[in-house]
Amino acid sequence: MDEGFSCLNCSGRACEFETGENPPQCVGGAAAALHDEVRARYAEPENRRIMKAAVVSSSKCGNLTRVQETIEFARLVGARKIGIATCTMLIGESHILGGLLEQAGFEVYGVACKVEGNHRSDLDLVLEDGVEGPVLCNPVMQARLLAEAGTDLNVVMGLCVGHDVLFYKYTKAPTTTLVTKDHVTAHNACAGLYGAKTVHKKRLAETIAACRADVEAGGEDA
């Protein structure tokens, strides 16, 4: 396998439709070496249950909203108690989701990102100008409280980039995402991709240039 080649360099159609037209440097070469190890993972009871539910729910996804598909998946996976890890800015939407889940027969427990009132000084993250700033998100506590509540499945509702990473790292229950936060596009993150050469082109170029300069300089100290 050519390490400079990835699936992003390919249309993916050769794999999806098994045309046999995979390029010689295809990532599938590396996958073949891991086949037995990975296939064994799917045989593990929890993974098999999740994969089976995903196969069934995804077969209907063309006719279901993401909300409907999440409810269907939760049913198929046998969940009884569902946790919602929500941004405080999406409490209203999470309340609607919780109500729909309860109507579907699930027990619901939600934890908002500002729980416990973290501050920059608590985490040694005070800005250079000494400004304390607003209450910080607490994704690790969200994950811990949902684990304490004994949720079978968690749903992420708009956690910030980075905060979602920490939540996924510490969550104990299987987790899916319903909403990805994007203030500019009303939480439609793909709009930032579709507009990369049009409406968002200039601002995106500025972000990329600043990031590239930082990466080439060795990156910001943690």
Side-chain angles (χ1 to χ4, degrees):
M1 182 187 70
D2 181 354
E3 293 186 357
F5 184 91
S6 77
C7 292
L8 302 184
N9 302 109
C10 181
S11 69
R13 295 181 63 84
C15 289
E16 183 174 2
F17 299 104
E18 298 183 314
T19 65
E21 299 173 346
N22 303 64
Q25 66 271 49
C26 180
V27 173
L34 300 171
H35 174 85
D36 292 344
E37 176 190 339
V38 172
R39 184 61 61 87
R41 295 295 184 190
Y42 287 115
E44 296 173 12
E46 182 182 43
N47 293 345
R48 179 172 174 76
R49 186 173 71 253
I50 291 173
M51 195 64 177
K52 183 177 180 180
V55 167
V56 176
S57 63
S58 64
S59 69
K60 304 177 182 179
C61 67
N63 296 312
L64 301 179
T65 65
R66 180 78 179 204
V67 172
Q68 290 173 289
E69 191 177 356
T70 299
I71 294 172
E72 179 74 356
F73 175 81
R75 178 184 71 82
L76 291 169
V77 84
R80 293 292 177 267
K81 189 171 187 177
I82 299 179
I84 298 178
T86 183
C87 170
T88 53
M89 295 179 67
L90 286 165
I91 283 288
E93 291 84 348
S94 294
H95 180 73
I96 294 171
L97 175 63
L100 294 172
L101 290 169
E102 288 174 346
Q103 289 176 39
F106 300 104
E107 183 180 354
V108 180
Y109 186 76
V111 180
C113 61
K114 303 295 186 180
V115 64
E116 199 189 22
N118 262 347
H119 287 87
R120 295 183 188 278
S121 56
D122 298 328
L123 306 181
D124 193 27
L125 293 173
V126 177
L127 300 178
E128 292 182 1
D129 58 9
V131 175
E132 177 66 30
V135 173
L136 295 178
C137 296
N138 198 348
V140 178
M141 183 61 77
Q142 284 179 288
R144 180 60 184 272
L145 289 176
L146 290 176
E148 292 287 322
T151 56
D152 304 309
L153 176 70
N154 292 331
V155 180
V156 167
M157 288 286 289
L159 298 187
C160 299
V161 173
H163 298 152
D164 58 354
V165 172
L166 285 172
F167 179 82
Y168 297 134
K169 181 177 181 179
Y170 288 99
T171 184
K172 299 297 183 184
T175 299
T176 186
T177 300
L178 182 62
V179 177
T180 54
K181 179 185 287 180
D182 191 321
H183 295 290
V184 174
T185 66
H187 311 307
N188 174 16
C190 275
L193 301 176
Y194 302 144
K197 293 184 177 180
T198 55
V199 64
H200 300 301
K201 181 178 180 179
K202 183 177 180 180
R203 289 186 179 180
L204 182 59
E206 292 171 352
T207 300
I208 289 173
C211 183
R212 184 181 183 89
D214 186 60
V215 170
E216 291 178 346
E220 182 178 343
D221 294 335

